Amino acid sequence: MVDEEQNFIESFCTSSLLTYNTYSLLKTCTARMAEMEPNLIFIYATGFSANVGNYMARKLVNMGRRCIFASGEDSVGMFENNLEHMGMFFCISKSGETVMVREKIKTAKENGVFTVAVTGEQKNSVSQFADLWFRVEDLCKLDDLNTSPNTFFPQTMMLVELIAYEYLRICKKESKTTKAEPAIE
């Protein structure tokens, strides 16, 4: 019990985000976000993951990025009616086995939409449809009801902040480049 408590507490201090993912993967994701403007980013998550997905959508909208968030509670029409306007489909699923998430990412992929998945670190059925796969450590892989303390969700939130940080850097860099170019008359 003491070892388990110590491991849980230490997991807050030592993020495994960059153990499973490279920073270049993060840069690739944010570069795609920037270059696919004006198409929208469709963020999809359900259950506990919906909290992180909703936060990500709000964060990006506040940064001036067009995106939509939907969860399992929303109409399938939200997804289908925006499919042709999507530049990126971004989903979050702790298990990577949520049927609704798997169906949406598969459909997005089949329709030529760039796909990004955030799941637990183990290979799963959602990740197979992702152009980019972010793996986040899941300390309680068998806890489908999310009754045990787990750092998956706060680490995924940290990943969202890293994405926002890198996206903002790209936008500032592009803004400086645009301002530096001479006006064409």
Side-chain angles (χ1 to χ4, degrees), residues 68-82:
I68 292 177
F69 168 74
S71 71
E73 299 167 351
D74 294 311
S75 163
V76 75
M78 274 184 78
F79 175 77
E80 290 174 353
N81 293 332
N82 287 290

Side-chain angles (χ1 to χ4, degrees), residues 53-65:
N54 188 29
Y55 177 82
M56 180 179 189
R58 288 173 181 236
K59 184 79 168 187
L60 291 173
V61 166
N62 282 347
M63 294 172 70
R65 191 66 185 85

Side-chain angles (χ1 to χ4, degrees), residues 29-40:
C29 178
T30 55
R32 286 300 294 251
M33 289 173 123
E35 70 189 29
M36 40 128 326
E37 184 77 45
N39 293 333
L40 65 89

Side-chain angles (χ1 to χ4, degrees), residues 151-163:
T151 59
F152 175 82
F153 299 106
Q155 290 223 33
T156 304
M157 194 73 81
M158 288 172 55
L159 177 64
V160 167
E161 290 298 332
L162 281 171
I163 289 169

Side-chain angles (χ1 to χ4, degrees), residues 75-134:
S75 163
V76 75
M78 274 184 78
F79 175 77
E80 290 174 353
N81 293 332
N82 287 290
L83 193 55
E84 66 185 65
H85 305 290
M86 280 183 219
M88 179 182 283
F89 177 83
F90 194 106
C91 64
I92 303 166
S93 171
K94 180 173 104 60
S95 69
E97 301 299 339
T98 307
V99 174
M100 290 186 295
V101 177
R102 184 176 56 241
E103 289 172 358
K104 302 276 185 312
I105 194 170
K106 181 177 185 269
T107 301
K109 181 82 169 175
E110 289 170 348
N111 283 275
V113 176
F114 187 79
T115 56
V116 180
V118 178
T119 71
E121 78 276 9
Q122 294 182 327
K123 199 119 179 91
N124 55 71
S125 62
V126 168
S127 68
Q128 71 180 330
F129 298 106
D131 292 307
L132 294 178
W133 174 32
F134 289 101

Side-chain angles (χ1 to χ4, degrees), residues 30 33-34 59-60 62-64 161-175:
T30 55
M33 289 173 123
K59 184 79 168 187
L60 291 173
N62 282 347
M63 294 172 70
E161 290 298 332
L162 281 171
I163 289 169
Y165 170 78
E166 197 58 44
Y167 180 73
L168 188 59
R169 284 182 41 165
I170 289 171
C171 292
K172 285 181 179 180
K173 187 176 181 180
E174 287 177 2
S175 177

